[in-house]
């Protein structure tokens, strides 16, 4: 909080110890009023209005007026509160009665978001908009955002998600790390046996490239990668793990007449899912070996391809090498000049 009053700090610790109990909040409101400070009086009024609104039936005609007054008084509250996101996720309704959302700052370092909540926001939206879904509050979704007061962001997010959005502030670096950490669990398709880690078990997805409307991120990504390599007339596509300044990353390469050209990098956590799908598509045994090969049958823009795949185990992860021969109706070009 912005203040350093030991009494107020003690009240906050008591309230956060059991946010569902309204008594500490109302006792705190009494204390705030007794101080006589204008900012404290606004906070006390906010606490009492929030409690009244929470106990007013949904069909009570007074609710809209109470909600408007709560929003007006909340704009006058100056106190800030920083606390662990797990507390808000556990007690969202109770904590919304403590302070306006704009006055809260969440820490995300230890937060694990349930897959059902993560699935409400596509990973690409979470990364690009710098936000993390937190918890469903009735018909709304609470998210942590580095810029929760940006109306353009909220409007567009509500349009994409087709639901109301409640935005709370968190540090951008915390959000970035939490997005990578939490979404990693949605993309892996491999289960490793705890007793024999050389054995990987895969799901029963048919050996085919599924439509672009498929929800599996790894399948869509593989379609994009292979389609791009074919369109640009690369002879080889490589997906290579490597050590960079930020740790282990994944680099995509295209080969053109012996020249190796760098493409867009990928997050390292996507490599297990990509490898699992390619193994399935190429009919490669799930029993892991140092070097494994197979062939992906692929129909791309009406042309039939058979793409040889080689997966080599390295210290940093699997190195994937996909050969892209010309299709029968697409003879080799003498000069290759791929699009930029």
């Amino acid at each position: 909080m912005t203040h350093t009053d030991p009494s107020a700090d003690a009240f906050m610790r008591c309230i956060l110890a059991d946010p569902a109990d309204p008594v500490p909040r109302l006792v705190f409101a009494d204390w705030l009023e007794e101080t006589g400070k204008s900012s404290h009086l606004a906070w006390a009024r906010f606490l009492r209005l929030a409690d009244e609104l929470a106990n007013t039936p949904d069909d009570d005609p007074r609710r809209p007026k109470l909600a408007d007054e709560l929003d007006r008084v909340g704009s006058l509250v100056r106190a800030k509160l920083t606390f662990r996101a797990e507390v808000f996720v556990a007690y969202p309704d109770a904590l919304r009665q403590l302070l306006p959302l704009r006055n809260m700052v969440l820490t995300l370092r230890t937060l694990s978001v349930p897959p059902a909540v993560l699935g409400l926001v596509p990973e690409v939206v979470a990364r690009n908009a710098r936000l993390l879904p937190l918890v469903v509050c009735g018909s709304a979704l609470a998210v942590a955002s580095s810029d929760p007061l940006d109306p353009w962001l909220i409007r567009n997010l509500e349009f994409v998600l087709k639901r109301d959005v409640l935005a709370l502030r968190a540090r951008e670096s915390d959000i970035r790390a939490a997005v990578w950490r939490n979404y990693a669990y949605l993309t892996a398709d491999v289960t490793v046996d705890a007793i024999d880690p050389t054995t990987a078990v895969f799901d029963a997805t048919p050996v085919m490239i599924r439509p672009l409307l498929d929800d599996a991120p790894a399948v869509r990504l593989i379609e994009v990668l292979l389609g791009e390599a074919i369109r640009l007339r690369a002879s080889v596509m490589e997906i290579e793990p490597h050590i960079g300044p930020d740790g282990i990353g994944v680099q995509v390469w295209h080969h053109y007449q012996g020249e190796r050209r760098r493409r867009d990098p990928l997050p390292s956590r996507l490599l297990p899912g990509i490898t699992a799908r390619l193994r399935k598509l190429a009919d490669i045994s799930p029993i892991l070996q140092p070097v494994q090969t197979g062939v992906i049958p692929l129909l791309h823009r009406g042309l039939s391809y058979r793409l040889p795949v080689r997966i080599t185990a390295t210290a940093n992860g699997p190195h994937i090498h996909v050969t892209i021969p010309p299709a029968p109706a697409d003879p080799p070009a003498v000069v290759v000049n791929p699009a930029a």
Side-chain angles (χ1 to χ4, degrees), residues 83-92 95-96 101 104 135 142 168:
F83 59 101
R84 293 170 61 231
E86 288 90 334
V87 180
F88 183 85
V89 168
Y91 303 100
L95 288 171
R96 290 168 66 191
L101 293 181
M104 299 182 188
V135 63
L168 297 89

Side-chain angles (χ1 to χ4, degrees), residues 221-233 237 254 298 300-301 307 324:
L221 181 56
I222 290 169
E223 290 173 346
V224 170
L225 292 173
L226 292 177
E228 180 189 53
I230 292 172
R231 177 176 60 84
L232 297 181
R233 295 179 178 272
M237 180 187 73
H254 285 179
L298 174 64
H300 179 74
R301 295 185 176 180
L307 311 179
I324 306 174

Side-chain angles (χ1 to χ4, degrees), residues 33-34 79 88 132 163 199 202 219 222 254 297 299 307-308 311 313 317:
E33 287 178 340
E34 290 172 0
F88 183 85
L132 180 74
R163 65 169 69 216
T199 301
F202 303 92
V219 172
I222 290 169
H254 285 179
L299 183 66
L307 311 179
I311 301 176

Side-chain angles (χ1 to χ4, degrees), residues 109-133:
R109 289 186 296 274
T110 59
L111 179 66
S112 294
V113 183
V117 176
L118 285 177
L120 296 176
V121 179
E123 181 183 4
V124 65
V125 174
R127 286 196 288 109
N128 291 341
R130 302 185 302 281
L131 60 86
L132 180 74

Side-chain angles (χ1 to χ4, degrees), residues 189 202-210 214 216 219 276-277 280-281:
D189 293 307
F202 303 92
D203 65 20
T205 305
V207 183
M208 59 182 290
I209 297 289
R210 293 188 283 179
D214 194 296
V219 172
R277 286 296 181 184
K280 192 69 176 178
L281 294 170

Side-chain angles (χ1 to χ4, degrees), residues 233-236 238 253-261 336:
R233 295 179 178 272
S235 59
V236 169
E238 285 185 89
W253 300 89
H254 285 179
H255 291 216
Y256 301 99
Q257 295 183 331
E259 180 185 353
R260 197 172 184 234
R261 299 185 187 178
V336 176

Side-chain angles (χ1 to χ4, degrees), residues 151-166:
W152 182 89
L153 170 66
I154 301 304
R155 283 198 303 270
N156 280 274
L157 193 58
E158 289 178 335
F159 176 79
V160 170
L161 303 182
K162 295 181 173 57
R163 65 169 69 216
D164 293 335
V165 171
L166 307 174

